[in-house]
Amino acid sequence: MTIGIPKEIKNNESRVALTASGVFELRQYGHHILVEQGAGKGSGISDVEYEHAGAEIVTNPHDIWARAEMIVKVKEPIDEELRLARAGQIVFTYFHFASSITLTEAMIGRGAVCIAYETVEKPDRSLPLLTPMSEVAGRMAVQQGARYLEKPVKGRGVLLGGVPGVPPGRVLILGAGIVGVQAAKMASGLGAHVTILDINTDRLRYVNDILPPHVVTQYSSQYTIRKLVQTHDLIIGAVLIPGAKAPNLVTRDMLKTMRPGTVIVDVAVDQGGCVETCVPTTHENPTYVIDDVLHYCVANMPGAVPFTSTLALTNSTLPYIINIANKGWKAACAHDPALMKGLNIVEGKVVYQGVAEAFDLPLHDVVEVF
Ligand SMILES: NC(=O)c1ccc[n+]([C@@H]2O[C@H](COP(=O)([O-])OP(=O)(O)OC[C@H]3O[C@@H](n4cnc5c(N)ncnc54)[C@H](O)[C@@H]3O)[C@@H](O)[C@H]2O)c1
């Protein structure tokens, strides 16, 4: 199969959908890989490295879209890309269709086979292509939080690890899922005192088993949160209710009860945030202050560490890419129920319930497209 890897064109997106090692692996199966010139630059992968691995470097993205039977990307197609997708062409990427009618209508119109990373779902309901980015964001939340707790950038002026004779900083984590546990791991590693909340007691048991004793688990409730925000330096929002907006666990009136310079990192911002005062920000302008509380609400945190994120993402996507390339999308989906769940729009037909419901579009049974 001919596989195309265009350069990402979304603002500040430096990740790339395939590494040189991924190219090498696909070449072993006899596939032909087209990589757009400079596509890997932001992630530290040069054109020469891709060529050595067996890729053909293509200067014009139009040629890639025209020649490839499968396009593999990181972010959803935008601008001109929306007009380049072809009928029957496989497009494998993060789509997040339910958040954009423009994208949904465009991809229906193009007749491509759209397989969305974010809806590939294993039988245990885990999301294998979302997990690596949650792991990155969870770890980064502590790194960013520690930085913004410094006084010159309007934080309280607290060193998370403390020093001998001085107590460590206190980190409150809302949600003990992928993001929450990774954040707890980092914060406890720095020596901070960590409190982590969830409504799922199995998750709290898991955290209690695997993390050190200075990570304290507590059942999440409005009452508990209201009390804890007053005594913690860094608050990390990491809740998720699948398919719904994140609940407002930290309300506006709570800000006044926090100590000046408290830092909130609301990782759940991409689902509307779990802090009432959360507004999406960007890497160029990541923070704002309300009631002396510093908010960091960047919606694409992994984009800031592309060297790490590209590898983390492609470690997870490569087995699926190989499978689709070897078998074709129909056989690959038929043999793998997780990948089947990734089918969102197939040759103009919406086959994913969440997308049909979001825009009141007809939902086609996935068997219709086989
Ligand atoms: N900003 C970014 O760049 C970025 C990157 C990756 C993930 N995210 C987002 O981070 C959020 C968390 O992702 P995840 O992969 O950890 O999800 P997850 O499903 O693994 O974990 C979410 C946890 O929240 C818990 N929860 C639900 N309601 C709660 C409540 N009222 N109080 C406490 N806990 C509650 C759930 O029980 C679950 O354990 C999601 O919104 C995800 O989209 C953002």
Side-chain angles (χ1 to χ4, degrees):
M1 185 182 276
T2 302
I3 301 165
I5 312 295
K7 183 171 161 47
E8 295 297 319
I9 57 173
K10 198 163 180 167
N11 183 25
N12 252 301
E13 182 52 71
S14 304
R15 287 172 291 178
V16 61
L18 196 67
T19 59
S21 137
V23 168
F24 186 82
E25 190 108 355
L26 283 159
R27 291 286 300 139
Q28 306 306 303
Y29 295 97
H31 302 299
H32 188 66
I33 325 296
L34 312 173
V35 176
E36 186 178 341
Q37 191 174 47
K41 192 172 173 219
S43 297
I45 310 166
S46 68
D47 292 342
V48 172
E49 210 176 325
Y50 276 124
E51 269 178 328
H52 283 162
E56 177 187 340
I57 300 297
V58 177
T59 46
N60 189 338
H62 290 231
D63 292 342
I64 294 195
W65 285 85
R67 288 171 59 196
E69 295 158 86
M70 169 159 66
I71 294 285
V72 186
K73 279 179 50 61
V74 178
K75 299 304 286 183
E76 74 281 2
I78 54 168
D79 305 334
E80 203 180 349
E81 292 174 330
L82 290 171
R83 292 183 290 279
L84 296 177
R86 290 182 288 109
Q89 184 175 47
I90 304 161
V91 185
F92 190 35
T93 190
Y94 286 122
F95 276 105
H96 295 286
F97 277 118
S99 63
S100 170
I101 183 70
T102 313
L103 174 69
T104 304
E105 285 178 341
M107 294 315 285
I108 290 173
R110 299 312 301 170
V113 177
C114 304
I115 311 179
Y117 290 165
E118 70 275 9
T119 67
V120 172
E121 184 181 326
K122 288 189 175 172
D124 65 1
R125 308 212 62 193
S126 62
L127 304 168
L129 304 186
L130 268 189
T131 299
M133 295 304 99
S134 286
E135 289 170 339
V136 171
R139 291 182 175 217
M140 229 183 113
V142 174
Q143 197 167 303
Q144 293 300 318
R147 174 168 164 236
Y148 285 108
L149 273 171
E150 291 171 13
K151 200 77 185 168
V153 281
K154 302 195 177 77
R156 281 197 75 216
V158 170
L159 183 64
L160 274 186
V163 286
V166 182
R170 295 170 70 85
V171 180
L172 173 64
I173 303 173
L174 309 172
I178 308 287
V179 169
V181 169
Q182 294 303 318
K185 218 174 193 172
M186 289 298 108
S188 60
L190 284 176
H193 174 94
V194 180
T195 310
I196 182 163
L197 312 185
D198 206 297
I199 48 174
N200 179 340
T201 44
D202 286 337
R203 289 301 294 178
L204 296 179
R205 275 192 196 100
Y206 171 71
V207 171
N208 189 259
D209 277 347
I210 63 152
L211 288 175
H214 61 291
V215 177
V216 176
T217 58
Q218 238 175 301
Y219 189 80
S220 175
S221 72
Q222 268 294 300
Y223 182 81
T224 307
I225 293 169
R226 192 166 282 278
K227 260 176 57 179
L228 292 174
V229 294
Q230 300 173 26
T231 54
H232 283 71
D233 305 297
L234 169 61
I235 299 164
I236 296 177
V239 306
L240 175 66
I241 299 178
K245 191 213 162 284
N248 278 336
L249 301 183
V250 176
T251 51
R252 163 107 214 198
D253 60 304
M254 290 183 199
L255 297 191
K256 287 209 167 20
T257 71
M258 298 177 192
R259 292 170 301 184
T262 298
V263 173
I264 296 177
V265 176
D266 196 350
V267 184
V269 54
D270 59 341
Q271 298 290 334
C274 59
V275 173
E276 191 177 359
T277 42
C278 162
V279 177
T281 58
T282 61
H283 289 295
E284 286 92 59
N285 208 358
T287 61
Y288 57 93
V289 176
I290 301 178
D291 290 345
D292 287 332
V293 173
L294 191 134
H295 295 58
Y296 173 101
C297 305
V298 175
N300 64 331
M301 293 171 69
V305 287
F307 279 52
T308 304
S309 301
T310 286
L311 295 182
L313 178 64
T314 57
N315 285 344
S316 300
T317 53
L318 186 62
Y320 293 98
I321 298 169
I322 291 174
N323 211 4
I324 299 169
N326 284 353
K327 297 180 181 152
W329 70 268
K330 284 187 184 173
C333 290
H335 289 128
D336 181 356
L339 186 62
M340 178 85 97
K341 292 250 184 186
L343 288 173
N344 276 227
I345 299 174
V346 178
E347 294 167 342
K349 293 178 176 156
V350 177
V351 295
Y352 196 82
Q353 192 172 357
V355 180
E357 279 172 1
F359 305 119
D360 214 5
L361 292 166
L363 175 66
H364 295 263
D365 194 320
V366 78
V367 294
E368 273 182 53
V369 298
F370 276 82

